[in-house]
Amino acid sequence: MGRSSTVKETQALFQSLRSAYAATPNNLKIIDVFVGFAVLTAIIQVVYMAVVGSFPFNSFLSGVLSCIGTAVLAVCLRIQVNKDNKEFKDVAPERAFADFILCNLVLHLVIMNFMG
Amino acid sequence: MASPESAVNGPTMTAGAASKSLRNAFGGVIAFIILVLIGVLAFSIRLFSVIKYESVIHEFDPYFNYRVTQFLSKNGIYDFWNWFDDRTWYPLGRVIGGTVYPGLTLTAGTIWKVVNSLNIPLSVETVCVFTAPIFSAFASWAAYLLTKEVKGPGAGLTAAALLAMVPSYISRSVAGSYDNEAVAIFALVFTFYLYIKTLNTGSLFYATLNALAYFYMVCSWGGYTFIINLIPMHVLLCIVTGRYSSRLYIAYAPLVVLGTLLASLVPVVGFNAVLTSEHFASFLVFIIIHVVALAYYIKGILSPKMFKVAVTLVVSVGLAVCCAVIAILIAVVASSPTKGWSGRSLTLLDPTYASKYIPIIASVSEHQPPTWPSYFMDINVLAFLVPAGIIACFMPLTDSSSFVILYIVTSVYFSGVMVRLMLVLAPAACILSGIALSEAFNVLTRSIKFQLPGIAGNPSIAVRMWRIMSTSKENGSSTVVAPNDIPKTEEAAKEKPAKKNRKKEKENVEKKPTPSKTEKRLLVLPLEASVIAVLLLVLLGAFYVVHCVWAAAEAYSAPSIVLTSHSNDGGLHVFDDFREAYSWLSHNTDVDDKVASWWDYGYQTTAMANRTVLVDNNTWNNTHIATVGTAMSSPEKQAWEIFHSLDVKYVLVVFGGVVGYPSDDINKFLWMVRIGGGVFPHIKEPDYLRDGQYRIDAQATPTMLNCLMYKLSYFRFVETDGKGFDRVRRTEIGKKHFKLTHFEEVFTTHHWMVRIYKLKPQRNRIRGKTKKSKSSRSVSSKRDVRGKRNPWH
């Protein structure tokens, strides 16, 4: 009895998660897809490193950290652009995007230097 | 009720707003002038050594930095990055590009290049000497910015003024002290300022700047691990106390990713940025903040009932996964012998670690724990202003004030472990004392302003004050101060009844419902008490200034390469023996000659005498230092053989017995024995001690009286005063008349402080040894017999 109720509860949970997420605006969903893609690329690189070996280590590190870095920066952009966030309502989305671009520039400059 | 209020409000409000903006502009100009003056103060208080002595580089480590900067300015950055130095740690050499923190040398080199391209002919030495005072001015401005983010501009100015003068910071940044900390403290405070600014504003632009400032800090000093452990600790504290916000995520997550990458760029750090335990805290908190962020996001989009279901599901599954991951992590870290931490970091966590395992770290005087009086000497008045500042930070507690509290607590702990880390405590103490003093002055001047009788229009001022404060409480309605309250304040012009009325009005105001905001009770003290308190605080500041100037002038301005003493008639006697010895070396020896001395003098010898040395202050190879220590502790013949196998030509010894210089090699001798004995077991420390006591007089052990250090220090010492009385040890020496068989003295400086000896060349033929052996024993087999006993052949 308890087991089927927990199964029903988990199903209801996923249902409500899906419906709540479907309500988010489209631009936020695009950012979420981008974050998912970056994390997936990082995971692929880690699996490849586990198969092939970690030499040269700096290339592996720069590859993985560039993926994680873009994911983190995209999440920060999403936080700033999200209209539900009351702390950021006076930050124009263009300003948020410009900050995002600047930070990405610095990140990728460092990546290109470190990749070797 | 509302309309007469607004009619009265109207003209006064615009006039008030105009005068308020004028006052703000005026205040801004005054703040700017004060900041410029603070910068000038910070620069000029550090110039005592230049005035009293000369513009010279101090101590030992700055000479190495100076030599590296000279190389950089002569050969350019690519040669500097790939430089392999073969004039030190003979015969091993040292990879300078990969083992030096380049921030300081690159900064000074850039300043030199820019200044020279503007045709201002400053030499490299001048730029090196004055880099530290300039960056201390910048550090004061960074402290102003940081404290302004925490409390406000008044506290910022006070903190900047305190940091400009605090003796602990002066001691490591006088003009001439060209060391990493000169630049690193500025980088530290600036990084913290940018972190707090990002936390307060939530802007990704400041997060990028924060990462770049952290990069500069990593380039400058090994103490950057303090930042990369303090910030995660603060993030964890914010999460645990329920202060998580998306600004916290923006402040922390980009810093970790960008900061780790930038730290790996610096060759000294390299892959240590991801492999050593010192950085694991940041990764752990990185994972934690993502989990927390995800939890808050899901909580935001789900209903509370669904969220409870999600929580139970996640907790049961996630707990098992977490335990497995943590177990794996602990197994990996525990399998390494030092558990992944470097020796110095382990000393910070367990203060007794160094004395048990690494004698070299324990022997450096900077790594000893400080004494209690040194706190009062180094941060003076701030020592008891800091607790007041901590209390002021709690009212109200914001993210930034909790960060400052965490900073002071951790830096107080670390300063208690190592004297050298008092330097990290100094900015924290200045910030908190600035907050405390500023809050105290706020309360006292407010009390004086409210109760000062006889000022024209006092009631209207009081009404305007009340209006400003009431609107700041966001009550929304302007019916806070009713018009019939004004006659009440006019009547009660006396102190005590006035105070009671204001308290009554405060209670009237507070009766209006404001459920969310806590009411700010404004404290008003009696008038005479406030005036006296202000005077006393100013007097306290005066004592602090007097102490700081005295400390800068008398205690911390000695270049330690030039010593002075005052003779009986007030004249100044200068001991310039070190430079005399180094210039003798550079003029009277060949360029490729190797000089052996204790590691303290390695940097100075390579920089000033330009000769190759065996060991220097970098102390990265314990075995090599132990070899030199063993040679100094052995009898003459064995010492000669050790030095000969290392191609040494000259031996340099520092001796203070004639003038009473206490930091000479005989006083450091026990460390040579300990370090040598740690690697070569035939050197035993009890052989050199009589009854557990270290002596060099007639009661000393024969091992002590025969060792090389004793002989080289006291050779011909009786000729100075006939009795051989050592002024430092305050006894007559044990063995007074002896000859040197394997060394010859080539130079002794004017005050006998530095003595240079040359290794005698090997004899061509052996005299008197072949008498006993008549037949088969040849000279070469004799040499083989000798060689078997000696571990260096």
Side-chain angles (χ1 to χ4, degrees):
Chain A
M1 277 302 288
R3 231 182 120 217
S4 68
S5 75
T6 43
V7 169
K8 254 191 236 163
E9 276 188 349
T10 18
Q11 276 181 340
L13 168 70
F14 283 122
Q15 202 60 343
S16 62
L17 263 178
R18 197 180 295 173
S19 60
Y21 186 69
T24 56
N26 266 340
N27 55 350
L28 295 184
K29 276 195 200 158
I30 293 177
I31 299 180
D32 290 340
V33 169
F34 181 59
V35 170
F37 160 71
V39 173
L40 188 66
T41 317
I43 293 177
I44 292 177
Q45 287 185 5
V46 171
V47 168
Y48 179 74
M49 186 268 298
V51 167
V52 170
S54 71
F55 181 80
F57 193 56
N58 54 332
S59 313
F60 163 67
L61 212 59
S62 67
V64 171
L65 283 179
S66 83
C67 293
I68 296 187
T70 36
V72 163
L73 291 178
V75 171
C76 292
L77 176 68
R78 188 191 197 278
I79 289 173
Q80 287 186 326
V81 166
N82 196 355
K83 290 194 190 53
D84 296 331
N85 268 339
K86 286 169 215 57
E87 289 171 330
F88 291 101
K89 58 174 161 43
D90 50 348
V91 173
E94 289 84 10
R95 164 74 197 269
F97 191 65
D99 286 344
F100 172 72
I101 295 286
L102 174 72
C103 210
N104 263 320
L105 269 177
V106 172
L107 174 72
H108 285 96
L109 189 67
V110 175
I111 295 287
M112 285 195 294
N113 193 6
F114 193 50
M115 194 139 25
Chain B
M1 264 301 235
S3 40
E5 278 297 321
S6 52
V8 173
N9 263 337
T12 49
M13 270 325 257
T14 48
S19 69
K20 190 172 175 206
S21 66
L22 188 65
R23 254 182 298 145
N24 276 345
F26 192 52
V29 169
I30 287 197
F32 179 71
I33 294 179
I34 293 178
L35 272 180
V36 168
L37 286 177
I38 287 176
V40 170
L41 168 71
F43 184 82
S44 36
I45 201 175
R46 285 161 171 81
L47 293 182
F48 276 106
S49 63
V50 174
I51 296 172
K52 285 168 78 168
Y53 302 90
E54 58 182 285
S55 165
V56 73
I57 308 246
H58 296 191
E59 301 269 323
F60 303 109
D61 280 1
Y63 273 100
F64 171 68
N65 294 324
Y66 172 55
R67 179 164 164 254
V68 174
T69 317
Q70 266 182 322
F71 185 87
L72 170 68
S73 61
K74 235 182 282 182
N75 301 48
I77 187 164
Y78 285 106
D79 284 343
F80 162 73
W81 215 245
N82 298 318
W83 185 19
F84 178 81
D85 188 20
D86 56 349
R87 297 187 69 77
T88 175
W89 292 94
Y90 186 85
L92 304 164
R94 180 184 170 185
V95 181
I96 299 279
T99 56
V100 81
Y101 281 98
L104 176 71
T105 42
L106 287 177
T107 309
T110 316
I111 294 178
W112 176 83
K113 194 135 193 250
V114 164
V115 158
N116 269 328
S117 68
L118 294 173
N119 273 331
I120 307 173
L122 289 181
S123 70
V124 177
E125 180 170 17
T126 314
V127 172
C128 291
V129 163
F130 289 102
T131 298
I134 292 177
F135 273 87
S136 65
F138 293 163
S140 313
W141 295 338
Y144 162 73
L145 291 169
L146 173 57
T147 320
K148 188 162 82 113
E149 283 301 312
V150 177
K151 265 297 175 179
L157 288 173
T158 323
L162 291 174
L163 185 62
M165 288 189 290
V166 65
S168 161
Y169 186 29
I170 289 183
S171 71
R172 304 291 303 200
S173 68
V174 280
S177 176
Y178 180 55
D179 208 354
N180 287 338
E181 288 93 349
V183 177
I185 296 295
F186 161 66
L188 181 86
V189 180
F190 197 56
T191 309
F192 284 153
Y193 157 65
L194 286 172
Y195 171 66
I196 295 293
K197 184 93 184 175
T198 317
L199 194 56
N200 281 343
T201 59
S203 154
L204 203 56
F205 171 66
Y206 281 110
T208 317
L209 287 181
N210 188 16
L212 290 174
Y214 173 67
F215 174 52
Y216 185 52
M217 178 72 191
V218 173
C219 284
S220 309
W221 197 28
Y224 74 91
T225 48
F226 182 63
I227 296 187
I228 203 62
N229 282 308
L230 182 65
I231 292 186
M233 229 191 287
H234 175 245
V235 170
L236 206 57
L237 179 74
C238 281
I239 290 177
V240 162
T241 54
R243 292 181 155 276
Y244 172 77
S245 64
S246 41
R247 288 172 288 119
L248 190 69
Y249 182 85
I250 294 181
Y252 183 64
L255 172 69
V256 170
V257 177
L258 261 179
T260 309
L261 268 173
L262 287 166
S264 328
L265 273 186
V266 181
V268 182
V269 177
F271 296 145
N272 285 344
V274 290
L275 292 178
T276 54
S277 303
E278 282 135 358
H279 292 87
F280 281 170
S282 58
F283 301 141
L284 190 67
V285 178
F286 186 66
I287 295 176
I288 290 179
I289 200 176
H290 275 96
V291 169
V292 169
L294 193 66
Y296 270 91
Y297 172 68
I298 292 187
K299 190 172 180 181
I301 62 171
L302 280 184
S303 64
K305 194 177 67 104
M306 283 287 114
F307 183 63
K308 266 198 213 117
V309 171
V311 163
T312 46
L313 185 69
V314 163
V315 163
S316 52
V317 168
L319 208 59
V321 173
C322 247
C323 290
V325 166
I326 289 180
I328 295 175
L329 200 66
I330 291 180
V332 162
V333 168
S335 61
S336 70
T338 57
K339 314 217 181 336
W341 290 76
S342 74
R344 277 197 197 164
S345 310
L346 274 171
T347 316
L348 286 180
L349 292 180
D350 173 19
T352 58
Y353 178 81
S355 51
K356 276 188 267 175
Y357 298 108
I358 314 177
I360 282 195
I361 293 184
S363 75
V364 180
S365 65
E366 291 178 322
H367 293 172
Q368 307 302 323
T371 56
W372 283 109
S374 69
Y375 276 96
F376 197 69
M377 169 76 169
D378 273 351
I379 53 175
N380 208 32
V381 160
L382 311 182
F384 50 84
L385 284 177
V386 160
I390 294 181
I391 293 180
C393 278
F394 275 103
M395 320 192 287
L397 187 67
T398 63
D399 294 337
S400 35
S401 57
S402 70
F403 175 76
V404 172
I405 294 173
L406 198 63
Y407 177 24
I408 187 83
V409 167
T410 48
S411 55
V412 164
Y413 169 70
F414 285 128
S415 74
V417 175
M418 262 194 206
V419 151
R420 188 175 183 188
L421 295 178
M422 289 275 295
L423 182 63
V424 177
L425 173 65
C430 291
I431 292 170
L432 279 165
S433 316
I435 291 175
L437 276 178
S438 166
E439 290 295 299
F441 269 116
N442 265 346
V443 170
L444 295 170
T445 49
R446 189 171 55 217
S447 318
I448 296 177
K449 194 166 23 169
F450 275 174
Q451 295 173 49
L452 214 47
I455 289 187
N458 185 26
S460 59
I461 291 181
V463 169
R464 212 181 295 145
M465 282 290 119
W466 280 116
R467 285 225 177 89
I468 291 173
M469 286 180 295
S470 60
T471 49
S472 75
K473 287 178 198 163
E474 290 184 38
N475 271 335
S477 70
S478 53
T479 57
V480 170
V481 179
N484 51 5
D485 285 339
I486 302 180
K488 256 194 229 164
T489 61
E490 269 179 6
E491 286 169 2
K494 297 175 214 147
E495 288 176 20
K496 285 194 181 137
K499 202 169 58 162
K500 280 200 194 122
N501 261 341
R502 282 183 180 84
K503 280 210 177 124
K504 234 191 275 174
E505 286 175 22
K506 261 189 262 174
E507 285 160 19
N508 278 342
V509 164
E510 287 161 20
K511 275 180 201 146
K512 309 280 192 264
T514 47
S516 54
K517 278 237 170 185
T518 55
E519 296 294 332
K520 200 165 114 180
R521 305 208 97 216
L522 293 170
L523 183 64
V524 172
L525 297 173
L527 179 67
E528 298 98 352
S530 316
V531 170
I532 294 178
V534 167
L535 285 174
L536 284 180
L537 279 182
V538 171
L539 203 61
L540 188 75
F543 279 135
Y544 175 70
V545 171
V546 165
H547 172 84
C548 293
V549 174
W550 169 84
E554 296 299 320
Y556 291 135
S557 285
S560 88
I561 189 150
V562 175
L563 307 163
T564 56
S565 76
H566 293 274
S567 56
N568 286 341
D569 53 356
L572 195 67
H573 196 79
V574 175
F575 299 86
D576 210 359
D577 287 40
F578 287 102
R579 292 196 289 181
E580 186 186 344
Y582 296 131
S583 74
W584 185 92
L585 266 181
S586 78
H587 285 128
N588 292 299
T589 62
D590 293 330
V591 176
D592 286 328
D593 283 344
K594 328 278 186 268
V595 178
S597 67
W598 192 232
W599 57 260
D600 293 20
Y601 316 107
Y603 281 155
Q604 285 182 343
T605 312
T606 38
M608 279 196 271
N610 198 23
R611 294 288 173 267
T612 311
V613 289
L614 288 189
V615 288
D616 67 16
N617 308 54
N618 193 27
T619 65
W620 66 269
N621 191 334
N622 196 27
T623 311
H624 216 52
I625 296 181
T627 312
V628 174
T630 309
M632 296 293 193
S633 329
S634 314
E636 247 187 286
K637 187 142 176 290
Q638 280 80 343
W640 185 94
E641 272 159 10
I642 296 175
F643 282 142
H644 187 69
S645 74
L646 287 169
D647 294 341
V648 171
K649 204 78 178 297
Y650 295 91
V651 179
L652 187 148
V653 161
V654 170
F655 171 60
V658 174
V659 291
Y661 174 62
S663 316
D664 64 351
D665 280 356
I666 287 282
N667 268 356
K668 294 178 193 164
F669 181 60
L670 264 190
W671 286 108
M672 300 186 197
V673 170
R674 276 183 200 144
I675 295 175
V679 180
F680 300 103
H682 65 272
I683 304 283
K684 300 184 205 39
E685 191 182 338
D687 289 346
Y688 297 85
L689 303 172
R690 168 81 66 188
D691 302 329
Q693 267 201 0
Y694 175 61
R695 342 168 50 125
I696 43 95
D697 52 7
Q699 295 295 319
T701 59
T703 331
M704 181 75 210
L705 293 175
N706 275 325
C707 72
L708 185 72
M709 180 52 71
Y710 180 91
K711 285 198 169 167
L712 292 187
S713 295
Y714 293 117
F715 181 60
R716 291 193 311 117
F717 182 48
V718 282
E719 296 172 18
T720 54
D721 60 349
K723 283 185 304 200
F725 183 76
D726 184 341
R727 287 226 176 105
V728 181
R729 268 60 61 175
R730 296 187 187 279
T731 60
E732 293 188 7
I733 59 177
K735 196 150 80 164
K736 298 189 190 184
H737 303 273
F738 56 88
K739 286 208 174 69
L740 290 177
T741 51
H742 288 73
F743 295 83
E744 57 174 325
E745 180 185 6
V746 284
F747 186 65
T748 299
T749 56
H750 184 59
H751 300 101
W752 285 59
M753 275 172 64
V754 182
R755 312 192 66 181
I756 304 181
Y757 294 84
K758 187 173 172 174
L759 262 70
K760 279 190 185 164
Q762 222 166 9
R763 289 202 206 124
N764 272 331
R765 52 191 187 91
I766 315 293
R767 295 178 298 167
K769 291 273 184 178
T770 53
K771 266 189 199 160
K772 277 189 190 165
S773 70
K774 285 189 182 138
S775 53
S776 50
R777 272 238 200 130
S778 63
V779 175
S780 59
S781 69
K782 260 206 189 12
R783 212 162 278 162
D784 282 329
V785 168
R786 265 205 301 275
K788 265 191 215 141
R789 279 179 301 172
N790 193 317
W792 280 276
H793 281 281

